[in-house]
Amino acid sequence: MHDHGPVLGALGLFTVLVGASLPLIDFFIVNVALPTIDRDLAAGPALLELVVAGYGLSYAVLLVLGGRLGDMFGRRRLFLAGMAGFAITSLACGLAPNAWTLVGARVAQGAAAALMLPQVLATIQSATSGQRRAKAISLYGATAGLSMVAGQILGGVLVAADLAGSGWRAIFLVNVPVALTGLVLAVRSVPETRSQRPAPIDTPGTVLLAVALVTLLAPLTEGRAAGWPAWTWVSLAAFPVAAVAFHRVEKRADRQGRTPLVPPSLLALVSLRRGLALVLPFSIGFGGFMFVIAIALQQGLHMGAIGAGMALVPMAVAFFGASLAGPRLVRRYGSLVVTTGAVSQGVGVALLALATWGGWPSVGWLDLLPGMALAGLGQGLQLPVLFRIVLSDVPSERAGVGSGVMVTTQQSALALGVATLGTLFLTLAASTGMRDALVITLLAQLGVVVLTVLLSLRLPRSVS
């Protein structure tokens, strides 16, 4: 290795991975706590969905901007700023006196997460190389997937433990010591990297991307609870207009030699384009599933916060095992690992639908175990490999932009999954009952998994 640039050591990698896990844990940790928050703050369904969606939205909208700022001002500096902001906003969430304050603090928390998260992949891309980079990105993928499942398990444990009478507040307050420890470690172990030729902020692109994401996600998340008022339809009608305008502005900036927020020239990379085409349906399914299962287990099967968390343990264990085995399997079988993973996930989701259909309302975690384990195994084979495929051909000076685009796709899709599959489930639950709603939602997710199987066949066979 003749690279004299900054090098990310083991402690540094651990530290940035802790930074990567916090925002994802916090997207999902809330799911299990929603019934308790509702009781405590008399929030009502529309505000509850804002607690989930407000965070996801501000996070998704600001991610690419966060990556661009890191390229400009130094990724370590922005990572530290984001981590500090995350500690402060988590404290604000944990101390929120009412539902609206909680929503505001969640929006601010999403913004802090958006400053911190893109720096993780960009630092890995620019301060590692070769086999170490492949391993670090696989670990990042494993951390991402595990955080999503672990967030929900941890949420259940913390809500049930009711530490010092804190109830749901503990799920936010627990971030504060973790983020402060992360800050101390980052100062000591994370090297400073920045882009040699940082691109200036693309203001029209940033505004149009924000408008496009908000006009799509806000009505989908709030519509059902608010009774589909006129603004939801106006907003949905504005989405394609904003999306087309965004695409045109970005293409023009690319042609004129400026660096747009999401450079269409990056999408010319086959690995990135085809990888993202899979990250999208995968994350829609994942986000929707985690949201729906939390409600179905607690309100439908009355498992309680701990039971709902524990039912997900087989999924977390299988995910972790599969994502650790992934790098070795990829060297032998290339992108076929993703196809195999998608098939396994599909079988798992089908088993969950069967267990629900046949055993309701006395379905226990043992009945769900085979389906959960197979779904987790399949997801663990897909996600880390997909991250590697997406980033495999992105040059290191564009690391911030590339990882920003990928994480934005992932995050928007998670929020979209909660909005679409969540709305489908809650609408059906009101009319057909919880069992049928869960079965139909799982079958809808199965359809999305079939799509990922088909798309995975188009991935480049060998993975660098």
Side-chain angles (χ1 to χ4, degrees):
M1 237 175 83
H2 301 293
D3 186 11
H4 299 298
V7 176
L8 187 66
L11 183 63
L13 179 62
F14 171 77
T15 307
V16 293
L17 289 179
V18 168
S21 67
L22 282 174
L24 283 165
I25 285 175
D26 260 66
F27 185 78
F28 289 94
I29 200 168
V30 178
N31 288 349
V32 185
L34 288 175
T36 332
I37 294 175
D38 192 17
R39 277 201 303 276
D40 203 16
L41 300 181
L47 269 180
L48 274 189
E49 295 201 0
L50 267 184
V51 170
V52 179
Y55 174 80
L57 252 177
S58 78
Y59 179 25
V61 164
L62 297 169
L63 267 166
V64 186
L65 184 62
R68 183 63 60 86
L69 290 170
D71 286 352
M72 284 172 76
F73 298 113
R75 293 162 188 144
R76 174 174 177 263
R77 183 183 293 176
L78 267 275
F79 181 79
L80 290 171
M83 184 77 92
F86 199 77
I88 295 164
T89 50
S90 297
L91 187 63
C93 289
L95 301 176
N98 55 45
W100 276 112
T101 316
L102 179 60
V103 170
R106 282 286 280 173
V107 171
Q109 194 189 26
L115 283 185
M116 175 166 66
L117 193 77
Q119 317 317 330
V120 176
L121 271 172
T123 300
I124 290 174
Q125 283 281 88
S126 52
T128 58
S129 57
Q131 218 30 63
R132 284 195 59 223
R133 179 186 295 175
K135 194 173 170 197
I137 291 181
S138 290
L139 279 171
Y140 174 86
T143 305
L146 202 60
S147 305
M148 300 189 222
V149 188
Q152 226 145 291
I153 298 171
L154 183 68
V157 172
L158 286 170
V159 169
D162 195 14
L163 303 168
S166 58
W168 57 269
R169 296 176 187 276
I171 66 173
F172 299 117
L173 297 174
V174 73
N175 291 335
V176 180
V178 177
L180 293 176
T181 312
L183 272 174
V184 174
L185 290 175
V187 169
R188 294 183 51 184
S189 64
V190 177
E192 181 61 282
T193 61
R194 52 162 60 87
S195 180
Q196 301 305 292
R197 299 188 303 279
I201 302 295
D202 167 19
T203 312
T206 306
V207 171
L208 283 168
L209 177 65
V211 171
L213 286 173
V214 171
T215 49
L216 174 66
L217 293 173
L220 286 177
T221 27
E222 283 300 294
R224 186 199 59 86
W228 299 105
W231 71 263
T232 52
W233 300 106
V234 173
S235 181
L236 283 171
F239 163 69
V241 182
V244 169
F246 172 67
H247 181 65
R248 288 202 173 149
V249 164
E250 300 296 272
K251 261 178 91 164
R252 193 170 70 228
D254 219 358
R255 267 205 313 275
Q256 293 169 351
R258 303 198 307 274
T259 306
L261 195 63
V262 180
S265 55
L266 259 188
L267 295 174
L269 301 170
V270 172
S271 54
L272 180 115
R273 195 171 64 238
R274 293 189 178 169
L276 283 182
L278 251 91
V279 170
L280 195 65
F282 177 88
S283 301
I284 287 176
F286 200 113
F289 173 80
M290 298 302 277
F291 177 73
V292 166
I293 209 79
I295 298 174
L297 296 180
Q298 286 194 82
Q299 294 175 8
L301 295 172
H302 308 294
M303 281 190 179
I306 284 244
M310 284 322 187
L312 291 167
V313 169
M315 186 183 228
V317 173
F319 187 103
F320 191 59
S323 54
L324 288 184
R328 279 201 306 282
L329 294 170
V330 168
R331 280 205 288 281
R332 284 191 59 183
Y333 304 108
S335 65
L336 276 176
V337 174
V338 178
T339 311
T340 312
V343 170
S344 161
Q345 185 192 357
V347 174
V349 172
L351 285 176
L352 287 172
L354 277 173
T356 306
W357 179 252
W360 197 274
S362 52
V363 182
W365 67 271
L366 263 175
D367 307 308
L368 299 173
L369 193 148
M372 286 287 188
L374 269 174
L377 179 80
Q379 289 162 340
L381 288 175
Q382 291 172 82
L383 195 64
V385 183
L386 281 177
F387 282 179
R388 261 180 72 183
I389 291 171
V390 170
L391 295 173
S392 56
D393 295 333
V394 176
S396 62
E397 68 272 6
R398 300 185 89 176
V401 182
S403 53
V405 170
M406 183 183 76
V407 181
T408 302
T409 306
Q410 183 203 7
Q411 196 52 48
S412 311
L414 287 172
L416 191 59
V418 172
T420 50
L421 290 173
T423 299
L424 172 70
F425 171 73
L426 292 168
T427 308
L428 288 170
S431 55
T432 66
M434 203 70 83
R435 179 193 79 163
D436 293 7
L438 182 56
V439 171
I440 293 168
T441 311
L442 285 170
L443 292 175
Q445 195 201 347
L446 190 56
V448 177
V449 175
V450 171
L451 178 66
T452 49
V453 173
L454 297 172
L455 286 169
S456 70
L457 300 171
R458 295 186 62 234
L459 290 171
R461 182 50 55 84
S462 67
V463 180
S464 54

